[in-house]
Amino acid sequence: DTEVTQTPKHLVMGMTNKKSLKCEQHMGHRAMYWYKQKAKKPPELMFVYSYEKLSINESVPSRFSPECPNSSLLNLHLHALQPEDSALYLCASSQERSGTAINYGYTFGSGTRLTVV
Amino acid sequence: LAKTTQPISMDSYEGQEVNITCSHNNIATNDYITWYQQFPSQGPRFIIQGYKTKVTNEVASLFIPADRKSSTLSLPRVSLSDTAVYYCLVVKTGANNLFFGTGTRLTVIP
């Protein structure tokens, strides 16, 4: 299995709702990532998990709450979002790198298209 | 982190070779260069990476001069399905983060 699977593919939520995005991979990758991408813009890094521990939080508002229950799963819990949070949310995974380890490429999912109304 | 600069957009006819050049003047000794391709409503896809000289795979070639301050992604004989955004990234060895620049929107014309 060489894929990153994201569910749901589309999500519409109100500003008072609580929802979760799910990401799953079975490639044995120990680093997982959440990115946010607005239309016609590059992906922006939100969170990095390394060995199921949060290692990077790129100053993301607390209405976004990541969770890594195990080495194959990554969730993004959403609460009290704003319309400007509407975007494509991408999950990615990679081999964990440290020291002189070289990046052999990230694998991205197809994303969840989120619309906040 | 080294900043990258690449053309915002390029057009090419089908069957032609396309070269996209990326500038990364502040690249550090332990940085390497990687390129990703992204189609609309999909996640980026890894194309190729390199540290110096030339790297070739089944999809593309990557040319990196000796000073490493730039790199060129070469796509041979493009087809309509190569229409996408191409991102050049400079990544630090051992780092667990990818920061995307603006990318180059390639449009292949019939």
Side-chain angles (χ1 to χ4, degrees):
Chain A
D1 187 353
T2 59
E3 290 187 347
V4 171
T5 303
Q6 290 188 244
T7 54
K9 292 194 183 306
H10 300 275
L11 178 63
V12 178
M13 61 184 290
M15 290 187 284
T16 58
N17 290 160
K18 285 184 180 180
K19 296 287 185 182
S20 296
L21 309 185
K22 181 179 172 182
C23 172
E24 192 166 0
Q25 58 89 14
H26 297 285
M27 294 176 281
H29 289 169
R30 302 308 296 271
M32 296 185 76
Y33 314 81
W34 280 114
Y35 282 82
K36 172 183 176 180
Q37 186 173 27
K38 304 281 275 183
K40 298 195 183 301
K41 297 290 187 183
E44 296 175 21
L45 181 65
M46 300 174 72
F47 302 105
V48 178
Y49 271 83
S50 175
Y51 289 99
E52 296 96 68
K53 292 194 187 323
L54 183 65
S55 61
I56 295 176
N57 176 342
E58 289 289 325
S59 303
V60 179
S62 60
R63 57 186 184 270
F64 295 91
S65 176
E67 178 197 19
C68 190
N70 60 55
S71 60
S72 299
L73 283 176
L74 186 66
N75 297 321
L76 186 62
H77 302 298
L78 314 172
H79 174 55
L81 295 194
Q82 302 297 310
E84 59 264 28
D85 296 320
S86 298
L88 180 68
Y89 288 84
L90 294 162
C91 174
S93 71
S94 73
Q95 295 172 344
E96 218 289 336
R97 292 171 308 290
S98 59
T100 58
I102 293 175
N103 173 12
Y104 289 103
Y106 285 35
T107 302
F108 281 82
S110 294
T112 294
R113 175 75 60 190
L114 174 68
T115 303
V116 182
V117 297
Chain B
L1 206 63
K3 180 175 160 42
T4 59
T5 303
Q6 41 181 139
I8 292 175
S9 64
M10 293 179 70
D11 292 339
S12 175
Y13 287 103
E14 270 191 295
Q16 291 191 327
E17 178 184 75
V18 170
N19 296 310
I20 305 174
T21 297
C22 177
S23 168
H24 27 79
N25 290 320
N26 296 325
I27 192 167
T29 303
N30 60 347
D31 290 342
Y32 57 94
I33 299 122
T34 185
W35 286 78
Y36 281 76
Q37 172 193 57
Q38 187 177 24
F39 299 113
S41 296
Q42 292 188 27
R45 183 176 75 105
F46 172 81
I47 301 174
I48 197 166
Q49 71 168 19
Y51 185 80
K52 60 181 178 180
T53 63
K54 177 183 174 182
V55 180
T56 297
N57 63 21
E58 63 277 7
V59 176
S61 295
L62 179 59
F63 299 92
I64 305 168
D67 66 5
R68 302 199 329 121
K69 293 185 184 298
S70 67
S71 59
T72 299
L73 175 72
S74 181
L75 304 172
R77 295 181 300 280
V78 294
S79 64
L80 296 177
S81 62
D82 292 317
T83 294
V85 178
Y86 292 82
Y87 293 100
C88 162
L89 298 93
V90 171
V91 185
K92 195 169 295 298
T93 301
N96 269 342
N97 47 21
L98 276 185
F99 293 101
F100 287 81
T102 53
T104 297
R105 188 171 299 274
L106 172 67
T107 302
V108 179
I109 305 164

